[in-house]
């Protein structure tokens, strides 16, 4: 399950960055492309985010993580590049 969590963490981070890129780079230049990409990227990010949280909760009890490590891993999911940090340092 740890390997699956690593993959989900990386994919969640990439989808988060793609969502930001769509907002910051594409929206000012091409609004129709922005609207076309918003739903699939947003949906993928939402599913990956929920998977990340659920897997973190499961791994907390499965691998007996302490609360500090668990809270840091959860907070990292809302920060840009946070899941990459978690994948390198904690996994």
């Amino acid at each position: 399950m740890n390997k699956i969590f690593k993959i989900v963490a990386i994919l969640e981070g990439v989808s988060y960055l793609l969502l930001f890129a769509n907002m910051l780079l594409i929206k000012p230049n091409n609004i129709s492309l922005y609207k076309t990409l918003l739903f699939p990227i947003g949906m993928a990010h939402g599913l990956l985010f929920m998977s990340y949280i659920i897997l973190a909760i499961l791994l907390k009890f499965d691998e007996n993580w302490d609360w500090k490590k668990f809270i840091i891993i959860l907070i990292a999911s809302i920060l840009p590049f946070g899941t990459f940090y978690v994948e390198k340092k904690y996994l």
Side-chain angles (χ1 to χ4, degrees):
M1 189 182 304
N2 202 2
K3 186 172 182 147
I4 294 170
F5 186 66
K6 286 182 181 184
I7 294 169
V8 169
I10 291 171
L11 290 175
E12 198 272 334
V14 169
S15 71
Y16 197 28
L17 295 176
L18 285 174
L19 204 54
F20 275 135
N22 189 36
M23 257 187 331
L24 299 173
L25 302 174
I26 296 175
K27 186 177 180 182
N29 301 323
N30 190 344
I31 195 76
S32 63
L33 180 60
Y34 163 76
K35 289 180 180 178
T36 303
L37 294 175
L38 184 62
F39 180 76
I41 295 172
M43 181 62 74
H45 174 68
L47 292 172
L48 288 166
F49 179 77
M50 290 187 297
S51 301
Y52 180 90
I53 299 297
I54 291 168
L55 286 170
I57 293 169
L58 292 174
L59 281 172
K60 190 249 184 279
F61 296 109
D62 191 40
E63 296 192 6
N64 202 14
W65 289 344
D66 61 345
W67 283 100
K68 180 182 176 186
K69 180 178 179 178
F70 179 63
I71 296 299
I72 289 171
I73 288 172
L74 290 181
I75 290 172
S77 69
I78 59 173
L79 300 173
F81 300 103
T83 57
F84 302 121
Y85 172 77
V86 163
E87 195 270 330
K88 280 289 187 202
K89 180 160 178 149
Y90 292 104
L91 305 176

